[in-house]
Amino acid sequence: MLNKTTLEFLSSLKKNNKKEWFEKNKPNFEMAKLDFEKFISELFYQLAKTNKDLIGVDPKKCIFRIYRDARFSKNKEPYKTNFGAAISESGKSMETALFYIHIEPGDNSFIAGGRYMPDSSSLKKIRERIIENPKEFKKIISEKKFKSLFPALSDLKVKTLPRGYSKDHPEIELLKYTSYIVEKKIEDQLLISPDFSKLCVEAYKAMFPFIKFLNNNQ
């Protein structure tokens, strides 16, 4: 679980997203950062029981920096107002399916997993794998525990047809997705409860076959 002060820092940062305020409150940031790193490190130990390939991965390399790159954005605020970590065998590389934790007060937190916005080549490989193994994929996403945590894939899909596929294809609805991810919203109160760690472990176990399926196309 996380400390309440970590959420309080992020809430304050959202209201005071300026360098001057951040520098003045740097000690509070360091405490919040350390708290999140501690949570992720402890979680890693539990997740490695499900995925042995996580053993030896540095948990800190899975955590995103709080500093925003605002050079090409209309939003010039210098800091993110959340803590995030993407957990996989290759750290936080987004070129693979992985497990993601997003901490943002105001009941904006969530846990998620899968492959977000893959490039066209990777997306085609995922779709082809689904075509080759439709029963396996459907069994994974309809498994009782998976379904209870993640009722459906996130609705990121083309509105018409994916290029190169017929509207009569038996798996056309699954092939319309441009991202293959699932997510679960987390209320603030759960973040500061021991049940949050338990939920993360439970969710990772449930989605691990989903992640493995998506990564078999690499």
Side-chain angles (χ1 to χ4, degrees):
M1 67 185 202
L2 295 166
N3 290 328
K4 188 177 180 180
T5 53
T6 297
L7 303 189
E8 290 172 346
F9 169 78
L10 290 172
S11 295
S12 296
L13 176 59
K14 191 169 187 176
K15 299 174 184 176
N16 304 277
N17 202 329
K18 297 179 176 63
K19 185 176 181 181
E20 295 77 14
W21 181 90
F22 188 86
E23 291 300 323
K24 185 178 178 180
N25 290 271
K26 196 72 174 284
N28 293 334
F29 163 65
E30 294 295 345
M31 286 178 59
K33 178 186 175 186
L34 187 62
D35 182 44
F36 185 63
E37 289 176 349
K38 180 174 179 287
F39 172 78
I40 295 299
S41 295
E42 292 175 350
L43 183 62
F44 241 84
Y45 175 77
Q46 297 298 325
L47 300 188
K49 295 178 182 179
T50 297
N51 181 6
K52 302 297 184 185
D53 290 333
L54 291 179
I55 297 173
V57 176
D58 183 355
K60 290 183 179 180
K61 291 185 177 180
C62 294
I63 297 174
F64 291 96
R65 299 173 74 244
I66 202 166
Y67 305 96
R68 294 184 65 251
D69 183 353
R71 291 174 298 171
F72 308 107
S73 173
K74 291 182 180 179
N75 179 2
K76 297 302 180 182
E77 291 182 338
Y79 309 104
K80 300 172 186 174
T81 55
N82 69 276
F83 284 137
I87 298 173
S88 77
E89 302 89 333
S90 53
K92 58 178 178 282
S93 170
M94 300 303 287
E95 296 181 1
T96 185
L98 43 70
F99 181 55
Y100 179 71
I101 298 175
H102 182 98
I103 304 299
E104 184 176 356
D107 293 336
N108 296 312
S109 302
F110 61 90
I111 54 178
R115 185 72 190 271
Y116 179 70
M117 296 299 288
D119 59 62
S120 58
S121 176
S122 296
L123 180 58
K124 183 177 180 180
K125 289 177 181 177
I126 291 173
R127 286 170 171 166
E128 291 302 312
R129 177 154 172 75
I130 291 172
I131 289 170
E132 293 170 2
N133 305 275
K135 290 183 179 180
E136 180 185 353
F137 187 68
K138 290 176 183 177
K139 182 179 179 181
I140 289 171
I141 62 175
S142 61
E143 192 274 329
K144 185 176 180 180
K145 190 62 180 180
F146 184 95
K147 199 79 173 175
S148 69
L149 292 166
F150 311 108
L153 297 178
S154 294
D155 193 26
L156 298 169
K157 56 169 66 175
V158 294
K159 294 181 179 179
T160 53
L161 289 173
R163 187 176 299 176
Y165 298 96
S166 165
K167 65 179 181 179
D168 299 321
H169 194 289
E171 310 305 336
I172 192 60
E173 290 306 313
L174 287 175
L175 302 179
K176 286 182 179 180
Y177 288 94
T178 55
S179 292
Y180 289 85
I181 60 173
V182 292
E183 61 182 275
K184 183 175 180 60
K185 295 288 186 181
I186 306 294
E187 296 180 354
D188 289 355
Q189 197 60 35
L190 182 59
L191 298 174
I192 55 176
S193 162
D195 289 338
F196 180 48
S197 298
K198 295 177 184 177
L199 175 62
C200 288
V201 173
E202 183 182 26
Y204 187 76
K205 285 181 179 178
M207 73 168 64
F208 189 50
F210 177 67
I211 291 173
K212 286 203 301 180
F213 183 96
L214 297 175
N215 281 338
N216 275 344
N217 64 84
Q218 300 298 320

